[in-house]
Amino acid sequence: MRAGQRTAVALGALAAMLAMPLVVTSGFWMDFLILTLFVGVLGQGWNILGGYGGQLSFGHAVFFGTGAYVQAILQTQYGWNPWLAITPAVLAGVLVGAFIGYLSFRYGLRGSYFALITLAFAEAFRVLATSIEITEGGQGIYLRLNRDPDQAITMLQFASGVGYYYMILALTVVALLVAWWIEHSRFGAQLMAVRENEDAAEALGIDAFAVKMRAICISAALTASAGVFYVQKFLLMDPFIAFGPGKSVEALVAPIIGGMGTIFGPLLGSIVLHGVGELTKALTAAAGIDHPGLDLVIYGILLVLMLAFLPSGLMGLLRRRARPARSAEHA
Amino acid sequence: MLEVRGITKRFGGLTAVNGAGLTVPEGRIVSLIGPNGAGKTTLFATIAGFLKPDGGSVMFKGSDITALAPHAICRRGLVRTFQVVQPFANLTVRENIAVGAHARLASRRQALDRAAEVAERVGMMRQIDQPAADLTVAGRKRLELARALATGPSLLLLDEVMAGLNATEVEDIVRVVRGIRESGVTILLIEHVMQAVMSLSDHTYVLNNGAIIADGPPRAMAEDPRVIEAYLGHGASERLAAGGKRA
């Protein structure tokens, strides 16, 4: 596809997404769309560091939860306007990212060691959030409900799903643009070089430490912004939602299924994941088996199958199909 | 341009490089030869900043670069290749070379254009859109060279870029290396392919057991008894000389 065609397709897709609420009117499907886009953003955050940078994190919830808690606390404890809280919330995520990154990358932790460090941080933050006062301990924080339609925009609370849909759509566009920028910039080229071979990257003049630090900060910022959205949508935050394994797993499973280190991989993975999740729920409900958490089992099986048979994800499958056409274009 | 003085590098109880020194004047091709395990690659890694020496110093363009990180040394214009090739396997040849070009160019467009120029220079135009993982050994060696060249170095450290290549491929690379020198890049190379050492280098250093045992013009080195003994064992040069008389 030529660049012009590509832009046209992207704009067409965006227009379709903008018009979606006109077509989708049921609350169930609206929520489905919102959650799918939300996990797409969460996954894109992970993808920047894990997919493009090759630094696989098992504890991305630490950034999600930090962003979410700061967004919640500034409103409930200090009476901030939600719009004003966004910047500090995202910055707090970045700060935590910089801290973890500095500790890990300065001492050259890679692979499973880095994964364990992130996991440990997420767990430590969960315990911390359970035990300190400002997060209101294990019971969590509840934001004041404000469904006044006149204040919907200023208070970032919407009576129907449509408002949240546009909010998460905007975040999705930002996340996709960040990934696009990674693929078309010097920074992205250097990040991928570090992923492929750190020694060779260093030999070619790349400061691997600096590149990884930038990547973890960008990654944390995106993930924290997903946390901000979550708080505004559900108006609550507790230690388990914030820092538990659930968000960490969703953040990494979506891009792995969709395709690590690709622009649309996380979103595609999220669509498949939620599609399968909903299908599982519907099927088990129809069969009369009611086990919450069965969808997580399915996620696990999917993940194993993907890694065994399709390590480059669904995007890898699409790309393999497209490759002959691509080389013909350059010939 | 490069002055290496008294470099010593130990790994635990093993002294891999022991007080080795060498000088590379601007515009020359200097080679470093020696038997396997002599410490050539270790010396290279130390010069390029990958290993911290236990003693000695590396001066490049008049300033001390001994304690610098590899990326900082590369930005000053000294770049190495790896004996065991290290391609970015999931990137195409063009993208691989562009990573090198980004050392000087911020714009993606310019870096990709420079990558094509460099690919042309080392004869990789045909493979330019292939993933690096699909290249043959010869192709990977070329890519290693191309990437290093794309960083715009003034001194290139080539670690066995000809190992494992057939005679025709060696001739090709020799031509490429000569072209690089003519474009104004100084070269220090480690090589086992003597045909290449002879035809390319102006000056040769011989490393054995971590120390420089001889240096001079490549032809003289090939006949130097100390060098022959280093390669073939004690007494070999006498036996060779005796054998030569009998024949």
Side-chain angles (χ1 to χ4, degrees):
Chain A
M1 244 191 290
R2 299 263 161 221
Q5 262 175 304
R6 232 175 268 171
T7 316
V9 170
L11 288 177
L14 182 62
M17 291 305 280
L18 284 171
M20 200 62 98
L22 300 176
V23 187
V24 179
T25 44
S26 95
F28 173 81
W29 285 108
M30 203 70 230
D31 262 358
F32 176 83
L33 278 177
I34 290 170
L35 285 180
T36 301
L37 292 180
F38 162 73
V39 172
V41 173
L42 199 64
Q44 192 65 269
W46 186 93
N47 188 41
I48 303 297
L49 184 66
Y52 289 106
Q55 312 299 316
L56 309 184
S57 147
F58 279 7
H60 246 56
V62 75
F63 309 130
F64 168 82
T66 303
Y69 262 121
V70 172
Q71 179 75 14
I73 290 168
L74 286 177
Q75 290 179 70
T76 54
Q77 317 267 9
Y78 300 95
W80 285 38
N81 176 279
W83 285 95
L84 289 177
I86 294 176
T87 311
V90 171
L91 279 181
V94 171
L95 217 62
V96 171
F99 182 67
I100 296 176
Y102 186 85
L103 283 183
S104 316
F105 302 143
R106 185 88 283 180
Y107 298 103
L109 293 183
R110 300 181 196 178
S112 35
Y113 297 100
F114 178 70
L116 286 175
I117 279 279
T118 52
L119 181 63
F121 264 100
E123 276 302 289
F125 272 54
R126 187 177 63 78
V127 172
L128 200 68
T130 318
S131 51
I132 61 177
E133 218 168 285
I134 196 160
T135 54
E136 296 182 31
Q139 73 172 53
I141 297 180
Y142 291 82
L143 273 71
R144 219 184 53 217
L145 187 69
N146 184 343
R147 289 290 192 241
D148 182 349
D150 295 334
Q151 291 182 10
I153 300 284
T154 51
M155 294 311 288
L156 263 179
Q157 286 190 29
F158 305 98
S160 79
V162 179
Y164 290 113
Y165 173 79
Y166 284 120
M167 190 175 163
I168 195 66
L169 185 62
L171 268 180
T172 303
V173 171
V174 170
L176 291 175
L177 286 176
V178 169
W180 185 90
W181 170 73
I182 296 266
E183 288 206 357
H184 294 85
S185 66
R186 162 151 88 169
F187 170 70
Q190 295 185 329
L191 183 61
M192 287 185 261
V194 167
R195 170 190 73 197
E196 296 289 312
N197 191 318
E198 209 168 313
D199 279 343
E202 278 277 339
L204 297 175
I206 297 171
D207 185 344
F209 173 73
V211 166
K212 286 192 279 187
M213 283 300 287
R214 270 179 86 178
I216 200 171
C217 288
I218 297 168
S219 172
L222 264 183
T223 313
S225 71
V228 167
F229 169 80
Y230 193 96
V231 162
Q232 293 306 128
K233 165 96 173 79
F234 294 101
L235 301 177
L236 86 150
M237 195 38 56
D238 72 31
F240 193 76
I241 299 173
F243 300 116
K247 292 293 171 289
S248 293
V249 169
E250 276 184 309
L252 72 91
V253 172
I256 289 176
I257 287 182
M260 285 191 273
T262 61
I263 296 178
F264 292 103
L267 192 55
L268 190 62
S270 173
I271 293 170
V272 171
L273 212 58
H274 279 244
V276 170
E278 289 305 327
L279 201 67
T280 316
K281 277 184 213 155
L283 284 179
T284 48
I289 329 162
D290 188 21
H291 282 301
L294 202 60
D295 50 337
L296 288 177
V297 175
I298 303 283
Y299 288 0
I301 294 171
L302 255 182
L303 187 63
V304 170
L305 288 177
M306 285 308 287
L307 287 176
F309 298 108
L310 214 60
S312 51
L314 294 172
M315 289 300 287
L317 198 67
L318 294 176
R319 201 171 277 179
R320 219 178 301 161
R321 288 264 165 87
R323 181 149 278 166
R326 192 175 140 201
S327 44
E329 184 186 311
H330 284 291
Chain B
M1 172 166 278
L2 179 74
E3 222 180 308
V4 180
R5 295 190 203 122
I7 290 286
T8 297
K9 178 69 200 173
R10 294 187 201 91
F11 297 106
L14 176 84
T15 306
V17 179
N18 190 3
L22 53 81
T23 305
V24 183
E26 188 163 354
R28 298 294 173 82
I29 299 184
V30 173
S31 53
L32 178 65
I33 64 171
N36 287 324
K40 302 181 297 290
T41 296
T42 305
L43 182 57
F44 251 39
T46 312
I47 294 172
F50 281 85
L51 296 170
K52 294 264 167 286
D54 297 303
S57 67
V58 182
M59 304 289 288
F60 177 59
K61 292 182 190 162
S63 57
D64 191 343
I65 60 164
T66 320
L68 294 184
H71 63 87
I73 292 177
C74 172
R75 282 179 204 165
R76 287 177 182 226
L78 190 166
V79 63
R80 74 172 288 198
T81 67
F82 291 88
Q83 177 186 3
V84 180
V85 290
Q86 314 272 1
F88 304 130
N90 288 315
L91 308 185
T92 66
V93 168
R94 191 197 300 267
E95 289 164 346
N96 263 269
I97 305 175
V99 171
H102 272 309
R104 305 260 177 259
L105 301 169
S107 140
R108 187 77 186 136
R109 183 80 268 143
Q110 283 177 15
L112 289 169
D113 290 347
R114 173 65 53 81
E117 283 168 37
V118 174
E120 175 88 65
R121 244 173 108 184
V122 301
M124 295 199 82
M125 258 338 244
R126 277 213 342 243
Q127 297 107 313
I128 192 151
D129 286 309
Q130 271 180 29
D134 294 355
L135 294 175
T136 60
V137 175
R140 285 172 194 217
K141 292 273 181 188
R142 246 170 230 244
L143 179 59
E144 193 73 30
L145 179 63
R147 259 185 351 195
L149 192 58
T151 64
S154 42
L155 175 63
L156 199 52
L157 267 54
L158 303 179
D159 194 348
E160 294 201 27
V161 284
M162 296 166 210
L165 305 191
N166 66 35
T168 330
E169 290 164 343
V170 167
E171 268 172 42
D172 269 0
I173 290 278
V174 165
R175 213 173 302 129
V176 169
V177 171
R178 209 171 269 141
I180 294 171
R181 193 255 299 263
E182 272 152 27
S183 73
V185 180
T186 308
I187 294 168
L188 173 61
L189 52 89
I190 293 178
E191 202 49 70
H192 275 305
V193 180
M194 289 312 281
Q195 165 204 354
V197 173
M198 296 292 172
S199 70
L200 276 175
S201 45
D202 307 305
H203 196 89
T204 300
Y205 285 87
V206 185
L207 193 71
N208 190 34
N209 289 326
I212 300 287
I213 56 165
D215 75 285
R219 295 244 164 254
M221 286 302 97
E223 286 155 13
D224 191 304
R226 287 169 299 178
V227 178
I228 295 171
E229 300 215 341
Y231 273 92
L232 299 175
H234 186 64
S237 68
E238 268 173 43
R239 284 197 295 279
L240 270 181
K245 259 175 228 158
R246 230 178 288 144

